[in-house]
Amino acid sequence: MKSKLVTAASIGVLASFVLAGCGQRAPGPSAKPKASKAVNVVYAGSLAYLNDIVLGPGFQKATSIKYQGRGGGSLAMAQELVSHTISGDVFESVGLAPIQKLEPKQTHWALRIASTPLVIAYNPKSADAAYFHQVATGKVSLKNFFEYLANHKVSIGRTNPSTDPQGQAFYEMVELATSYYQLPADTPQKILGAWNNSKQIYSEEGLPTELESGGLDISSAFLPQAIQDHLHYIALPSPLNFSDASYAAWYRKASLKLPGGTVKGGVLAVWATTLNKSDTGAQFMRYLASHESLLKKYGYTPLSPIVQGATRGVPAGIPYV
């Protein structure tokens, strides 16, 4: 999966540059200006809007530190960081596993930020849109919906389970729905096919565009994505949306065999960490941790900020329990 590089300048926000020794006379013509600080944030593709449109520009304005963002599937981004194909000061992933791939060389800890419920987005211009709307408004049951998907030709989009937790969760969600609604055992195969079904797999950043352009009838999505991109969507109950910690044991009943091993379902939370003891990364993390209201505004459910790993590595000023 190709990653995407976005700078704050590309969305119309100019970087502020501060001269060394604020309040002193500017250097003469022969002096070389000091390079501006920057923070490079590597994030799960579903966090693009939050970072590039909301947090990044706000952070840059507040600190005069240039913001740069790069997004893609969490696992794919982690692999690029591990191989040093890209570098970063902060890494934000959906799920803890991608960050753990960076331990112990680049980080020793991760902070849980918020949950991001799984939903099913749908194209309002699809031939099946009227039916999807009935499901979304509760006039048709979700059990009927999954039966419909198993027995009708519906164009479905999802991310690659081998590179992105959303793709894993979507596949596991159908598996859990099969059990939850007591559907025939072959329901996941009928709806999704193989885990790597090329007819269904798209990049996380490209899914909303493909859906809105009419290339898909439905797609996987996180609730914040649906809200931010103004997508029509079908909400899923707690047993299927991977966002309720009280259902953690139930989520683990779902599993998916991938080339790298078998993965089990779990709570879909946004986790973040600084990389390589970056100072600008610590500043960005403090900014993120202090703007819980923005998370709520854009569809995330803030969670108690717990730390996984060595708490001694958490920069000062970042609260956790």
Side-chain angles (χ1 to χ4, degrees), residues 1-4 43-48 71-74 76-77 80 156-167 197-212 216 218-222 225 229 231:
M1 179 184 298
K2 294 183 178 179
S3 58
K4 178 182 66 174
Y43 55 75
S46 62
L47 303 174
S74 293
M77 292 289 93
E80 290 198 44
I156 299 173
R158 54 189 173 90
T159 61
N160 190 338
S162 69
T163 60
D164 187 53
Q166 184 187 115
N197 183 355
S198 61
K199 294 181 179 179
Q200 295 187 350
I201 292 178
Y202 296 82
S203 70
E204 189 172 9
E205 312 92 275
L207 264 181
T209 301
E210 191 68 25
L211 186 71
E212 292 177 315
L216 297 170
I218 65 171
S219 77
S220 63
F222 290 127
Q225 284 179 291
D229 294 335
L231 303 177

Side-chain angles (χ1 to χ4, degrees), residues 33 36 43-44 49 87 89 112 114 120 137 147 156 163 172 175 181 190 206 208 230 232 261 282 305 313 318:
S36 172
Y43 55 75
Y49 189 98
S87 62
D89 301 296
R112 188 180 70 175
I120 299 174
T137 55
E147 291 173 336
I156 299 173
T163 60
E172 292 164 347
E175 181 181 331
Y181 295 117
K190 285 185 174 181
H230 307 290
H232 291 72
I318 297 176

Side-chain angles (χ1 to χ4, degrees), residues 7-10 12-20 22 33-39 56-68 280 283:
T7 66
S10 70
V13 181
L14 295 177
S16 301
F17 295 89
V18 182
L19 292 174
C22 183
K34 187 176 181 179
S36 172
K37 288 184 178 181
V39 62
F59 173 77
Q60 183 166 296
K61 182 177 181 180
T63 64
S64 296
I65 296 173
K66 185 179 180 181
Y67 165 83
Q68 294 181 330
T280 56
Q283 292 183 66

Side-chain angles (χ1 to χ4, degrees), residues 33-94:
K34 187 176 181 179
S36 172
K37 288 184 178 181
V39 62
N40 291 287
V41 180
V42 180
Y43 55 75
S46 62
L47 303 174
Y49 189 98
L50 180 68
N51 283 291
D52 296 337
I53 307 298
V54 182
L55 293 175
F59 173 77
Q60 183 166 296
K61 182 177 181 180
T63 64
S64 296
I65 296 173
K66 185 179 180 181
Y67 165 83
Q68 294 181 330
R70 184 188 296 266
S74 293
L75 292 167
M77 292 289 93
Q79 186 55 49
E80 290 198 44
L81 288 166
V82 168
S83 64
H84 300 290
T85 304
I86 62 174
S87 62
D89 301 296
V90 172
F91 182 39
E92 301 168 348
S93 73
V94 174

Side-chain angles (χ1 to χ4, degrees), residues 51-273:
N51 283 291
D52 296 337
I53 307 298
V54 182
L55 293 175
F59 173 77
Q60 183 166 296
K61 182 177 181 180
T63 64
S64 296
I65 296 173
K66 185 179 180 181
Y67 165 83
Q68 294 181 330
R70 184 188 296 266
S74 293
L75 292 167
M77 292 289 93
Q79 186 55 49
E80 290 198 44
L81 288 166
V82 168
S83 64
H84 300 290
T85 304
I86 62 174
S87 62
D89 301 296
V90 172
F91 182 39
E92 301 168 348
S93 73
V94 174
L96 187 58
I99 291 179
Q100 290 175 326
K101 289 182 176 294
L102 306 178
E103 299 173 349
K105 292 186 177 181
Q106 297 192 48
T107 188
H108 294 85
W109 64 278
L111 180 72
R112 188 180 70 175
I113 304 295
S115 66
T116 177
L118 188 70
V119 300
I120 299 174
Y122 68 89
N123 176 7
K125 296 181 180 179
S126 164
D128 295 303
Y131 174 76
F132 297 150
H133 178 71
Q134 287 184 313
V135 178
T137 55
K139 295 178 181 178
V140 172
S141 71
L142 278 169
K143 179 179 181 179
N144 184 282
F145 172 68
F146 287 106
E147 291 173 336
Y148 187 90
L149 295 182
N151 294 289
H152 292 78
K153 187 176 181 180
V154 177
S155 179
I156 299 173
R158 54 189 173 90
T159 61
N160 190 338
S162 69
T163 60
D164 187 53
Q166 184 187 115
Q168 294 175 2
F170 192 78
Y171 205 100
E172 292 164 347
M173 177 272 295
V174 177
E175 181 181 331
L176 288 178
T178 299
S179 177
Y180 190 69
Y181 295 117
Q182 298 182 330
L183 301 171
D186 63 349
T187 296
Q189 179 64 30
K190 285 185 174 181
I191 294 176
L192 301 169
W195 68 268
N196 58 349
N197 183 355
S198 61
K199 294 181 179 179
Q200 295 187 350
I201 292 178
Y202 296 82
S203 70
E204 189 172 9
E205 312 92 275
L207 264 181
T209 301
E210 191 68 25
L211 186 71
E212 292 177 315
S213 69
L216 297 170
D217 294 312
I218 65 171
S219 77
S220 63
F222 290 127
L223 177 59
Q225 284 179 291
I227 292 174
Q228 294 157 15
D229 294 335
H230 307 290
L231 303 177
H232 291 72
Y233 67 91
I234 296 168
L236 295 169
S238 291
L240 302 181
N241 68 14
F242 292 92
S243 70
D244 189 334
S246 67
Y247 281 91
W250 166 256
Y251 299 151
R252 285 195 294 272
K253 291 183 178 181
S255 62
L256 179 61
K257 290 183 178 180
L258 298 173
T262 299
V263 295
K264 291 188 176 182
V267 177
L268 290 171
V270 177
W271 293 79
T273 187

